[in-house]
Amino acid sequence: MSDTVTLAGPQQRQFNPYSDNGGTILAVAGANFSVIAGDTRQSEGYNIQTRYAPKVFRLTDKAVLAVNGFAADGNMFVKKVKQRLEWYRHAHSKDMPLRSIARLIQSMLYGRRFFPYYVYNILGGIEEDGSGAVYSFDPVGSYERETCRAAGAAQSLVQPFLDNQIYFKNQVAAPGTSHPSHLPLSDVLALVIDSFTSATERHIEVGDGLEIFIVLARGAPIHGLEAIQGIQEMTSNAEGERVFIVRRVLKYD
Amino acid sequence: MSIMEYNGGSVIAMVGKECVAIACDLRLGNQALGISSKFEKIFPVTDKLYVGLPGLATDVTTLKELFRYRVNMYTIKEEREIEPDTFAHLVSSTLYERRFGPYFIEPVMAGISTTPGGKVKPFIAATDLIGCLNFAKDFVVAGTASSKLFGVAEGLWEPDLEPEDLFETISQTMLNAVDRDAYSGWGTMVYVITKDKVIQRTLKGRMD
Amino acid sequence: MDHHPMNWGRPRNDMADPYGTYPIPQRPMNTQTFEDSVQHTQQPIVTGASVLAIKYANGVMLAADNLASYGSLARFKDVKRVIQVGSSTIVGASGDMSDFQYLQRELDELVIDEITHSDGHNLGAKEIHEYLSNLLYARRSKINPLWNSLLVGGCSPEGKRFLAYVDLLGTTYSASTLATGYGAYIAQPLLRKAVEGREDTLTEAEAVKILEDSLKVLYYRDARSLNKYQIAKVTAQGVEISDSKSQDTTWGFAEGIRGYGAQTQ
């Protein structure tokens, strides 16, 4: 009987626990500030799920985390990071330093080495020495401190532009001068907005809205921030570092 | 393995004020292995028209010769030089002849034409590997670094650049884009075409 | 026949072992039949199609038809895919209906637990959406998903509206118009055009019209839909889920079109 029955091989269909929700994030460190930005479009394939889904989150007064990739993993990851930071606050009566948050994030990502969070993280903020800092991560926790980093759908469009405009790559300073190691805040904001308008122009998964977080070091001059239209302060403790958010519209198409 | 990325290489063209520019990298690779840093991908068609052929290296050589042949035949029959827009259609139809077994090349063209009234008209165009034409007003890109070229060009380019400014813009775009592309680089070549001369420069850049 | 005591209570398998031969056929002892092959949902079986929802002046309105399909078979035509949860929340489900019924039981338990606390706190739509998100995300993380796309709508007694989506991957988002399934392709553009920028001024009648027009388009174009649906609303006053109703449709145009009408050639 059994050898008269020919069975087709077992049909295997594997549930795919991941998705890609598009979007792009970007962060730039200044001498005494840090700028962290992300667009607000969330998409799957050719569908725009929503025009406003934040990807950038204030963790503390000196740390902002941008999360890009699979949105469900991203939101869960941010939730868990925030939880760990709250525990730290209760245990030590202070906010976790930025470099420690960076190491925490690496441990949490590597903890899921064999079922990774499909998420690219960029952490921006102010270091304990008052300098602006950006840390970027891969999904399994490799990380590095940098001056600027783009990630997400339009990384390949934005990163070489930033190499050129922030790091002055392939530019030669005039004789007797040198390139600045850090740009002023106004220049950085202009570059961030230009990067996102360019990415919106050429990438279908980028657009709708832009959220730019600015973290200022303790006692740093306000850099004419109050003049920026629609700027909002999100600082919780007036003594320390200050966090601001600026929102801009991007094209809907 | 994508055939389009087998040898690597990129080309970009930009429009300026009464001028155009076209640039290519000089790398020829065998996937990740670099083979040559002298592999030019831009070829003159007429005095004021150049074509860039990024893609599969064997097809670069084949198409260069095929276009030379067809442009020569055109010149003999018509007893005049081919106009940029005519050449773009020649490229398009040549590629579409091989619609179902294509050459793995995405040509980029840049040239200027002069109207009978003496007006200078800049012209750029690009096609995909089966000849779908794209006449852009600003810039066109192709090759393994195309997404990077798009990003930088979108940020740096502006309308009505004078030849020297256009040269700087296309050079910076090319250099910074290929530095982020493993399959492009190893030298860069730029042509700026104006109504009375062509400036050809080889750029110093990263060689890693 | 197999009369051996070892096989009492087991399914007969006369073909494989017709006479209960000696020596005693090796059977696994003291083991659960399915222990080494726990089945996870690999695909939805009985499915509901689109759910649509919009924000309007008084609250949130949600619509879904009453069909649960078994593949291409219109299997159950009186299924309620919109439910009330607590006092100020509605949930609409598409995807696997058995998974949805499981979710209903979980939500009932959640609501009962909350009532027994009797601490004066109410579960709002935001909390129920968060609960569902965590549940669905936890299940996807066990590679054992609950195969649904859900819309959660709510309105607090103070009039604060809530509308959000969650699916089998744990993906969440919110917007003033939402649609699941084919609705995301067919109805969402219509909803956005009709609603965006008018969330605070749309009347109840206008909201019903927008949803019914979209449902009709879906009925014409989505083969897994039914012209029998319910519309639910949640306002500051609470939840109302309508009885099933249907709309007039026109098929006269199909007469002369090959593929629509009765022609065979």
Side-chain angles (χ1 to χ4, degrees):
Chain A
M1 185 65 194
S2 61
D3 47 22
T4 62
V5 179
T6 7
L7 285 172
Q11 261 211 343
Q12 283 277 1
R13 216 168 324 166
Q14 247 279 309
F15 167 66
N16 178 194
Y18 293 114
S19 177
D20 183 353
N21 298 105
T24 278
I25 52 172
L26 149 64
V28 183
N32 55 359
F33 67 86
S34 192
V35 175
I36 307 94
D39 69 328
T40 65
R41 175 175 291 182
Q42 188 177 112
S43 59
E44 190 169 23
Y46 293 129
N47 267 1
I48 296 173
Q49 296 180 315
T50 178
R51 301 193 190 279
Y52 184 71
K55 280 193 275 288
V56 192
F57 302 91
R58 191 193 74 99
L59 298 176
T60 66
D61 276 353
K62 53 178 164 254
V64 172
L65 182 61
V67 187
N68 195 228
F70 174 35
D73 271 354
N75 291 326
M76 183 54 69
F77 186 72
V78 169
K79 191 150 99 176
K80 296 206 163 184
V81 171
K82 281 182 170 173
Q83 185 180 50
R84 293 289 291 267
L85 293 179
E86 187 173 331
W87 289 346
Y88 182 96
R89 202 151 43 235
H90 292 317
H92 298 94
S93 305
K94 64 162 189 162
D95 282 334
M96 191 186 278
L98 193 71
R99 65 193 188 91
S100 311
I101 301 177
R103 179 61 69 85
L104 172 72
I105 287 172
Q106 108 84 211
S107 308
M108 292 175 69
L109 290 170
Y110 194 80
R112 288 280 297 268
R113 170 62 179 77
F114 297 106
F115 184 19
Y117 288 109
Y118 182 53
V119 161
Y120 287 87
N121 282 287
I122 300 178
L123 175 70
I126 304 296
E127 215 69 92
E128 279 175 309
D129 66 2
S131 61
V134 163
Y135 290 91
S136 69
F137 302 80
D138 82 349
V140 287
S142 294
Y143 80 114
E144 178 180 22
R145 185 180 166 180
E146 292 175 298
T147 304
C148 84
R149 171 58 66 186
Q155 182 192 41
S156 63
L157 284 76
V158 175
Q159 189 67 54
F161 177 67
L162 261 26
D163 290 345
N164 188 221
Q165 298 293 309
I166 306 262
Y167 289 122
F168 297 103
K169 289 276 172 69
N170 293 111
Q171 288 192 262
V172 182
T177 67
S178 66
H179 292 307
S181 58
H182 291 289
L183 292 172
L185 181 56
S186 55
D187 290 20
V188 171
L189 286 176
L191 285 171
V192 167
I193 293 169
D194 277 6
S195 297
F196 275 94
T197 36
S198 292
T200 301
E201 200 65 39
R202 293 288 180 179
H203 202 111
I204 56 169
E205 292 172 3
V206 182
D208 292 334
L210 171 59
E211 284 190 330
I212 308 167
F213 283 69
I214 301 154
V215 192
L216 280 189
R218 193 184 310 244
I222 191 134
H223 292 299
L225 271 183
E226 69 287 346
I228 298 171
Q229 60 152 117
I231 190 165
Q232 276 178 280
E233 183 155 7
M234 311 178 78
T235 315
S236 67
N237 176 12
E239 306 301 301
E241 293 79 6
R242 302 174 72 181
V243 189
F244 299 85
I245 182 171
V246 178
R247 293 192 172 85
R248 287 287 179 273
V249 287
L250 293 173
K251 284 165 70 175
Y252 270 29
D253 59 3
Chain B
M1 186 201 77
S2 165
I3 300 180
M4 296 303 291
E5 282 147 34
Y6 187 67
N7 301 117
S10 301
V11 176
I12 180 172
M14 280 181 174
V15 173
K17 191 180 187 190
E18 299 194 340
C19 59
V20 291
I22 183 167
C24 68
D25 71 326
L26 295 177
R27 182 179 182 271
L28 176 133
N30 184 177
Q31 304 205 75
L33 173 67
I35 298 294
S36 165
S37 57
K38 295 177 172 60
F39 192 79
E40 293 181 31
K41 295 164 191 75
I42 295 175
F43 308 98
V45 179
T46 67
D47 290 351
K48 290 181 172 50
L49 174 62
Y50 285 73
V51 61
L53 304 170
L56 190 70
T58 183
D59 290 345
V60 174
T61 319
T62 308
L63 277 184
K64 176 191 75 174
E65 293 301 337
L66 186 58
F67 289 141
R68 188 167 77 95
Y69 167 71
R70 291 195 168 173
V71 168
N72 284 343
M73 291 306 286
Y74 180 96
T75 316
I76 293 162
K77 276 186 186 163
E78 297 279 324
E79 296 183 325
R80 63 188 169 91
E81 276 195 340
I82 195 165
E83 290 293 314
D85 59 330
T86 317
F87 178 71
H89 284 97
L90 186 149
V91 168
S92 172
S93 55
T94 303
L95 292 175
Y96 198 78
E97 275 181 7
R98 292 278 176 269
R99 170 62 179 77
F100 297 110
Y103 294 112
F104 296 100
I105 296 285
E106 294 183 332
V108 168
M109 293 142 268
I112 51 174
S113 59
T114 317
T115 59
K119 252 192 96 189
V120 177
K121 271 176 58 183
F123 174 92
I124 57 162
T127 85
D128 66 7
L129 74 169
I130 51 171
C132 175
L133 278 163
N134 168 22
F135 302 109
K137 285 189 252 309
D138 42 12
F139 50 84
V140 286
V141 304
T144 53
S146 58
S147 64
K148 287 114 183 166
L149 288 164
F150 264 132
V152 188
E154 194 66 57
L156 296 185
W157 186 87
E158 48 190 287
D160 296 325
L161 289 164
E162 298 294 333
E164 276 309 311
D165 296 335
L166 183 68
F167 166 75
E168 199 60 34
T169 306
I170 198 170
S171 300
Q172 287 295 322
T173 304
M174 193 68 192
L175 287 168
N176 290 286
V178 300
D179 284 354
R180 280 282 176 183
D181 183 30
Y183 297 116
S184 299
W186 265 20
T188 298
M189 216 167 207
V190 182
Y191 297 78
V192 181
I193 306 156
T194 64
K195 68 176 192 301
D196 34 41
K197 63 174 176 183
V198 176
I199 308 157
Q200 192 223 105
R201 293 192 178 113
T202 307
L203 303 179
K204 272 199 174 154
R206 291 177 69 105
M207 297 298 277
D208 57 358
Chain C
M1 289 290 282
D2 184 1
H3 300 293
H4 198 277
M6 182 152 273
N7 296 316
W8 287 354
R10 291 181 184 278
R12 285 170 52 160
N13 194 343
D14 294 354
M15 285 306 207
D17 190 19
Y19 302 110
T21 47
Y22 187 84
I24 299 167
Q26 289 299 306
R27 297 283 160 99
M29 293 177 68
N30 304 320
T31 54
Q32 292 284 305
T33 315
F34 292 112
E35 194 185 64
D36 57 349
S37 63
V38 177
Q39 293 227 337
H40 291 167
T41 309
Q42 301 296 329
Q43 54 174 329
I45 305 295
V46 176
T47 57
S50 315
V51 184
L52 315 178
I54 58 173
K55 282 186 184 173
Y56 70 109
N58 309 348
V60 172
M61 198 175 280
L62 194 146
D65 66 25
N66 289 317
L67 178 65
S69 307
Y70 179 73
S72 58
L73 174 69
R75 181 65 181 82
F76 304 104
K77 308 221 274 189
D78 192 23
V79 169
K80 272 129 192 88
R81 298 201 286 127
V82 192
I83 56 163
Q84 175 173 357
V85 181
S87 56
S88 59
T89 306
I90 44 178
V91 175
S94 51
D96 192 281
M97 287 296 106
S98 67
D99 283 350
F100 177 50
Q101 288 174 3
Y102 167 76
L103 280 171
Q104 282 182 58
R105 294 207 303 278
E106 291 288 307
L107 288 172
D108 285 347
E109 197 173 313
L110 179 73
V111 171
I112 290 166
D113 281 357
E114 193 62 24
I115 290 169
T116 53
H117 278 103
S118 46
D119 53 4
H121 290 293
N122 257 326
L123 278 184
K126 192 166 176 287
E127 289 73 29
I128 285 159
H129 177 260
E130 186 77 13
Y131 177 82
L132 286 169
S133 312
N134 289 339
L135 186 61
L136 267 65
Y137 182 78
R139 286 291 294 266
R140 87 96 216 188
S141 299
K142 292 177 188 162
I143 319 291
N144 183 197
L146 291 166
W147 217 287
N148 298 106
S149 299
L150 307 169
L151 297 188
V152 181
C155 191
S156 72
E158 297 75 44
K160 188 159 169 47
R161 295 166 299 182
F162 178 89
L163 178 57
Y165 167 100
V166 56
D167 68 12
L168 73 168
L169 292 174
T171 306
T172 56
Y173 49 90
S174 91
S176 57
T177 67
L178 290 176
T180 70
Y182 264 98
Y185 300 94
I186 295 172
Q188 181 71 295
L190 305 170
L191 296 177
R192 282 185 181 156
K193 193 174 177 190
V195 174
E196 273 182 6
R198 286 197 279 272
E199 294 87 351
D200 301 329
T201 52
L202 283 175
T203 65
E204 191 168 313
E206 286 171 324
V208 171
K209 170 101 170 44
I210 290 164
L211 286 178
E212 287 189 334
D213 286 354
S214 303
L215 281 174
K216 185 181 278 191
V217 176
L218 275 170
Y219 176 60
Y220 276 122
R221 282 294 171 185
D222 181 4
R224 306 285 174 263
S225 66
L226 190 67
N227 187 15
K228 185 181 167 197
Y229 58 89
Q230 284 169 291
I231 291 195
K233 62 169 187 185
V234 51
T235 62
Q237 283 66 253
V239 174
E240 260 179 63
I241 303 178
S242 79
D243 290 336
S244 294
K245 46 188 174 175
S246 62
Q247 296 181 78
D248 293 333
T249 51
T250 315
W251 294 96
F253 69 89
E255 195 64 29
I257 302 173
R258 188 150 63 95
Y260 263 114
Q263 308 92 325
T264 50
Q265 267 308 314

